[in-house]
Amino acid sequence: MSEPKSPTPTPGDTYKGWLFKWTNYIKGYQRRWFVLSNGLLSYYRTQAEMGHTCRGTINLATANIAVEDSCNFVISNGGAQTYHLKASSEVERQRWITALELAKAKAVQMQAESDDSGDDFPAVSPNSGQGGDCRNTEIQSTLRTLNSKVEDLATCNDLIVKHGSALQRSLSELEGLRVAVDMGEKVKQVTERATLFRITSNAMINACRDFLSMAQSHSKRWQKALQTEREQRIRLEETLEQLAKQHNHLERAFRGATVLPPSFSNPALGNKGGVSGKADASDEDDDNEFFDAMEEPAEFITVPADPKYHRRSGSNISGISSETGTDDQLVNFDELSLASNPESPQPLELEPVRQRRTRIPDKPNYYLNLWSIMKNCIGKELSKIPMPVNFNEPLSMLQRLSEDLEYYELLDKAAKSHSSLEQMCYVAAFTVSSYSTTVHRTGKPFNPLLGETFELDRHRECGYRSLCEQVSHHPPAAAHHAFSEKGWTLRQEITLASKFRGKYLSIMPLGSIQCIFEKSNNHYSWKKVTTTVHNIIVGKLWIDQSGEIDVVNHKTGDRCHLKFAPYSYFSRDVPRKVTGVVTDKDGKAHYVLSGTWDEKMEFSKIMQSSKGENGTEGKQRTVYQTLKAKEIWRKNPLPEGAENMYYFSSLALTLNEPEEGVAPTDSRRRPDQRLMEEGHWDEANAEKQRLEEKQRSTRREREREAVKAASSPEEGRTTESEFVFSMGLIFFFCFVCIYLIFLSDVVSIHLLSIFVCLGVSCLSFFLPPLLS
């Protein structure tokens, strides 16, 4: 029997492959994709369905596995579910049987130990620091992994004993056979059991190898971590000793000063008087009192510089030591003695960073007849349609633009990159990360009013500030500017063109995004892809991103071409897939990016490229040989209860949080948006309609004023034809009057008086326009 080509399944690993499943007497066996993971056997029609549609799942902990013939086997859990399966070959069937038995044994063992599984490892101490929590979590995870490997070894040992006994019995029966007819059947049975034994033995060997390598690697890491902890403890003891001496000198300086600021007053020292003689006489007692106070060293130590605290002006003495420039540098006594002078600048203190909110009121459940609203919207511009807040989420479009900065760390890392090509990878990952929040966010943001602004100040927490403004009403356009102290600036001007097509809604962002890095002076630009909202009328709303993005470095000529693959039911690719290639100015590829816009992105360095087979459209494909892929971005998990809070991320929950000192035009001050967030949707609809109608009337008045201003310079000005006609009429009257004067009879005199009156009337009517 030939050796199986695919890798032997190991305990606890996910095992996947194609099998034929019996459906009915008409269709017979149909090819399905099966996935074995965590004691559950699931199947799908295609590999592409793994992300969204599972056709069936059976729990192996309570299932029975029976072999029918060389390729067929049956899995049943007592009558409720029964899968009749067929493999492509006998070897493939043996491989699946072994994987199923391993998974079943482990599932039974985990189910038996589920009641007391929480007592295996101690919980993390709540008083430990952030770094300690990470190390404890890592150690506990490693211990759980090692314990899992030990359980896998025990399971493999049981299976080896089982299959070894069966193989031994078959060999004994084979020796006792005399008839040649039965020999073939027994040889086949022995061969099958020998295959099972070999596969199980290989699994045992692999599990032992994994356990040994993991134990060796983590043993070195733990020894290194232990040595680091010892060194840190020694440095901490030395720092405490130096700080104790400095505090002693500070007490002497404060008692000896003539003027003591109230901010440095100490009740313990006030009882001893302010005379320098008594202060010198009690130096020894002061030292003892200080070292007694060292039971709580956290009040005085500022060397760790916890990121939750930042330097602010105040009167805390420990804040002075953090102002010296570096965390390890100590304060000079001569500099600290100036603190006793009231004319000297006030020292700095440590102030906690503001705690942002982590919850908003739950979304109420309001019924809305979609068709009654949408049937009049087909083919119209979405921004010109009055929509109720039932379609919205309690955020403005300006706040959604600021939400693109949720993964600002990618730009921080890009600013530190020395290679422009590597920097391009981080910028490309940042462009993809801006879509990660849209996978569940089917709500429409509020259309900003003209002149509305939104300021996101995260300078203390994250090092950046952002400002958005609505600069146009029709067409709606917004400008966004963000800058960071880490050395990058982001600008974007966005105009949305949206069309409702009945079944789906397409949103086409117009405008470009610019990103500039100060250190390298690299200037990047790109545009956004099209967002499509499906199942507007019937079904569950879902969002897809499709299109292509070209991220261009205008300084070096580097380019990254990103392709967002549209979702297709017939495609076997991973849903929401994104691929990209980073090339230099000569078109040579250096990095390959791959992943999904709703989960993670990875990048790989290209070592060699070659031309492959022709693709579906007749184009020749390029084959890249790359190094192992590295993860460059992963989506942050949603907060607990996000499904009841519009699927907001942790950053989105804080965007509409009321803050003092914001501009009167800030989005946080919109009453309709605030009412919707608090759950008062009827009042929010009325307020939204009032604000929009007020904006429309203001726009109409502004348009009338513009038309009036454009036409006012032409009013009262005579045209060329009017001027010629007036001058001709005047010459005619003058000619008639001169002719009547020459006649000099009675009738002529009467006619002359009549023409003079008519001429004066005509001059009074035509002369002012002519003069203008």
Side-chain angles (χ1 to χ4, degrees):
M1 185 173 294
S2 61
E3 186 73 18
K5 296 182 181 180
S6 60
T8 303
T10 57
D13 293 343
T14 301
Y15 192 61
K16 307 175 184 178
W18 292 101
L19 288 173
F20 292 91
K21 179 181 178 296
W22 174 263
T23 56
N24 50 50
Y25 287 98
I26 297 177
K27 296 183 178 180
Y29 283 95
Q30 295 294 323
R31 192 166 180 255
R32 296 290 183 261
W33 179 257
F34 280 81
V35 177
L36 175 61
S37 177
N38 297 327
L40 300 176
L41 180 64
S42 307
Y43 75 94
Y44 311 85
R45 286 186 178 178
T46 61
Q47 298 183 38
E49 286 188 350
M50 290 179 60
H52 54 87
T53 305
C54 178
R55 301 294 176 176
T57 303
I58 189 170
N59 189 357
L60 296 178
T62 58
N64 296 322
I65 305 172
V67 178
E68 291 186 342
D69 54 21
S70 60
C71 295
N72 293 8
F73 59 99
V74 180
I75 303 176
S76 176
N77 61 354
Q81 287 178 301
T82 301
Y83 294 166
H84 294 269
L85 306 177
K86 181 172 67 172
S88 58
S89 62
E90 183 177 356
V91 176
E92 183 69 18
R93 192 261 296 172
Q94 295 289 355
R95 190 181 299 113
W96 272 102
I97 291 296
T98 303
L100 291 170
E101 287 185 351
L102 289 172
K104 177 181 178 181
K106 188 171 182 180
V108 172
Q109 185 177 5
M110 292 177 62
Q111 185 175 6
E113 298 177 355
S114 60
D115 296 335
D116 55 349
S117 61
D119 299 333
D120 294 339
F121 303 98
V124 182
S125 174
N127 297 326
S128 59
Q130 184 177 3
D133 288 343
C134 296
R135 286 191 294 271
N136 290 339
T137 304
E138 181 182 0
I139 293 174
Q140 292 180 17
S141 176
T142 304
L143 291 177
R144 290 192 182 95
T145 305
L146 292 174
N147 186 55
S148 176
K149 291 296 181 181
V150 172
E151 294 175 356
D152 295 342
L153 290 175
T155 304
C156 291
N157 180 64
D158 296 340
L159 292 175
I160 284 178
V161 173
K162 173 183 175 182
H163 294 309
S165 301
L167 180 60
Q168 188 66 34
R169 287 196 303 270
S170 299
L171 291 174
S172 301
E173 294 174 358
L174 183 61
E175 293 176 355
L177 287 177
R178 301 300 181 186
V179 184
V181 179
D182 297 336
M183 184 67 69
E185 185 66 25
K186 287 298 180 180
V187 169
K188 183 178 180 180
Q189 182 180 4
V190 170
T191 305
E192 291 180 358
R193 294 182 177 179
T195 302
L196 289 174
F197 184 79
R198 185 183 68 255
I199 294 176
T200 309
S201 302
N202 292 336
M204 182 75 170
I205 294 172
N206 293 335
C208 291
R209 184 176 61 251
D210 294 341
F211 179 81
L212 181 60
S213 61
M214 185 176 298
Q216 290 176 349
S217 61
H218 286 287
S219 176
K220 296 179 181 178
R221 293 179 59 187
W222 289 342
Q223 290 178 1
K224 186 177 180 180
L226 180 60
Q227 183 64 26
T228 303
E229 292 291 341
R230 291 176 179 174
E231 295 175 356
Q232 289 181 354
R233 181 177 60 84
I234 294 175
R235 287 197 298 268
L236 183 61
E237 291 176 354
E238 294 176 353
T239 303
L240 289 176
E241 184 178 357
Q242 293 176 357
L243 289 176
K245 294 178 180 179
Q246 287 183 354
H247 192 79
N248 184 22
H249 292 310
L250 283 174
E251 289 181 345
R252 295 179 182 178
F254 292 155
R255 291 194 188 92
T258 55
V259 179
L260 184 65
S263 59
F264 289 100
S265 60
N266 191 339
L269 302 179
N271 297 332
K272 299 180 182 181
V275 183
S276 60
K278 291 184 178 180
D280 294 334
S282 59
D283 286 344
E284 188 174 356
D285 297 335
D286 294 340
D287 294 341
N288 295 333
E289 291 179 2
F290 171 77
F291 285 110
D292 290 340
M294 286 300 293
E295 295 176 0
E296 298 179 359
E299 296 180 8
F300 308 96
I301 299 176
T302 59
V303 175
D306 194 321
K308 294 189 297 182
Y309 295 91
H310 293 264
R311 296 164 182 167
R312 293 294 297 263
S313 60
S315 59
N316 193 345
I317 301 175
S318 61
I320 304 175
S321 61
S322 64
E323 183 64 15
T324 57
T326 59
D327 295 335
D328 297 332
Q329 189 176 1
L330 298 177
V331 185
N332 192 346
F333 169 73
D334 294 335
E335 297 175 355
L336 289 177
S337 61
L338 297 176
S340 60
N341 188 355
E343 297 180 357
S344 62
Q346 289 295 323
L348 302 179
E349 72 172 358
L350 298 180
E351 183 175 321
V353 175
R354 173 179 176 178
Q355 295 295 327
R356 304 287 177 177
R357 68 180 183 181
T358 58
R359 288 198 61 85
I360 60 174
D362 290 347
K363 177 182 178 181
N365 187 13
Y366 282 92
Y367 172 75
L368 182 66
N369 188 356
L370 298 179
W371 179 245
S372 63
I373 297 174
M374 288 301 205
K375 65 181 180 180
N376 298 322
C377 304
I378 300 177
K380 297 181 180 179
E381 179 69 25
L382 189 64
S383 60
K384 298 181 180 180
I385 302 172
M387 304 290 286
V389 299
N390 304 60
F391 292 99
N392 288 31
E393 61 181 14
L395 286 181
S396 173
M397 186 62 197
L398 303 181
Q399 293 168 320
R400 286 294 295 268
L401 284 179
S402 303
E403 203 173 342
D404 290 350
L405 297 171
E406 180 170 1
Y407 300 97
Y408 67 94
E409 301 95 342
L410 293 172
L411 295 181
D412 292 346
K413 295 177 181 178
K416 299 178 181 179
S417 298
H418 299 287
S419 171
S420 62
L421 295 170
E422 183 180 351
Q423 189 178 71
M424 174 68 79
C425 294
Y426 285 106
V427 176
F430 176 78
T431 64
V432 177
S433 68
S434 61
Y435 298 99
S436 61
T437 59
T438 64
V439 62
H440 300 296
R441 302 270 290 278
T442 57
K444 172 183 174 294
F446 279 77
N447 289 333
L449 305 175
L450 182 62
E452 182 178 335
T453 61
F454 177 71
E455 181 181 4
L456 181 64
D457 188 357
R458 293 292 188 270
H459 186 265
R460 293 175 57 198
E461 298 97 323
C462 308
Y464 71 87
R465 293 183 66 184
S466 168
L467 181 63
C468 295
E469 181 179 359
Q470 187 75 0
V471 295
S472 175
H473 180 51
H474 277 296
H480 180 206
H481 182 84
F483 62 93
S484 172
E485 63 181 9
K486 302 297 179 62
W488 56 264
T489 302
L490 185 73
R491 299 193 303 263
Q492 58 178 322
E493 53 275 357
I494 296 297
T495 301
L496 297 180
S498 53
K499 292 293 183 180
F500 175 62
R501 301 300 184 186
K503 290 181 61 178
Y504 63 90
L505 172 69
S506 296
I507 303 173
M508 292 78 69
L510 308 177
S512 62
I513 305 174
Q514 315 287 329
C515 185
I516 302 174
F517 295 94
E518 297 177 1
K519 183 178 179 181
S520 59
N521 202 25
N522 287 332
H523 180 191
Y524 297 87
S525 67
W526 66 91
K527 296 183 179 181
K528 289 181 174 287
V529 296
T530 301
T531 301
T532 307
V533 184
H534 294 271
N535 294 343
I536 296 294
I537 301 300
V538 179
K540 183 179 179 181
L541 293 176
W542 60 280
I543 293 179
D544 191 25
Q545 312 287 348
S546 59
E548 297 180 356
I549 296 179
D550 282 320
V551 185
V552 182
N553 186 344
H554 297 279
K555 179 184 177 182
T556 62
D558 301 337
R559 183 181 297 267
C560 178
H561 182 74
L562 293 171
K563 183 177 180 181
F564 289 68
Y567 176 79
S568 175
Y569 183 79
F570 302 100
S571 176
R572 294 186 178 183
D573 289 336
V574 179
R576 309 180 184 93
K577 183 179 180 181
V578 181
T579 56
V581 179
V582 177
T583 58
D584 57 16
K585 61 180 180 180
D586 299 326
K588 181 181 179 181
H590 292 269
Y591 288 95
V592 172
L593 291 92
S594 61
T596 57
W597 54 264
D598 67 324
E599 184 178 358
K600 65 176 181 178
M601 287 293 294
E602 297 177 343
F603 76 108
S604 306
K605 185 174 179 60
I606 298 176
M607 303 304 296
Q608 186 178 358
S609 61
S610 59
K611 297 296 183 180
E613 300 177 354
N614 292 336
T616 56
E617 300 179 357
K619 298 181 180 179
Q620 195 172 19
R621 295 179 178 178
T622 304
V623 179
Y624 297 113
Q625 296 181 5
T626 64
L627 298 178
K628 184 178 180 181
K630 297 181 181 179
E631 185 175 279
I632 192 173
W633 164 76
R634 178 176 289 274
K635 178 185 176 182
N636 296 329
L638 292 176
E640 184 179 357
E643 63 277 2
N644 299 324
M645 299 183 293
Y646 310 91
Y647 286 98
F648 280 178
S649 62
S650 299
L651 175 63
L653 291 174
T654 65
L655 293 180
N656 204 43
E657 184 178 5
E659 292 188 22
E660 297 180 357
V662 298
T665 57
D666 197 90
S667 300
R668 302 178 185 90
R669 297 183 180 272
R670 284 193 59 163
D672 52 349
Q673 189 171 304
R674 182 66 58 191
L675 288 170
M676 181 189 177
E677 180 183 288
E678 295 173 354
H680 309 298
W681 282 18
D682 295 335
E683 295 85 346
N685 275 317
E687 187 64 23
K688 180 175 181 290
Q689 186 175 0
R690 183 188 69 83
L691 290 176
E692 292 179 350
E693 184 59 34
K694 180 181 178 181
Q695 181 172 238
R696 294 189 190 99
S697 61
T698 303
R699 179 172 59 88
R700 288 192 292 266
E701 182 65 26
R702 190 165 52 251
E703 290 175 352
R704 284 194 295 267
E705 293 178 356
V707 172
K708 183 178 179 181
S711 60
S712 59
E714 301 294 333
E715 294 179 358
R717 185 174 296 175
T718 307
T719 62
E720 184 178 356
S721 59
E722 292 174 347
F723 178 78
V724 173
F725 175 76
S726 300
M727 294 303 295
L729 189 61
I730 291 173
F731 281 118
F732 173 74
F733 277 114
C734 292
F735 176 78
V736 173
C737 291
I738 294 173
Y739 175 76
L740 292 175
I741 290 173
F742 279 109
L743 292 178
S744 66
D745 55 1
V746 178
V747 177
S748 301
I749 293 173
H750 285 289
L751 291 174
L752 178 63
S753 62
I754 293 174
F755 271 93
V756 169
C757 293
L758 290 174
V760 171
S761 300
C762 291
L763 287 175
S764 64
F765 180 78
F766 290 105
L767 189 60
L770 291 175
L771 295 177
S772 64

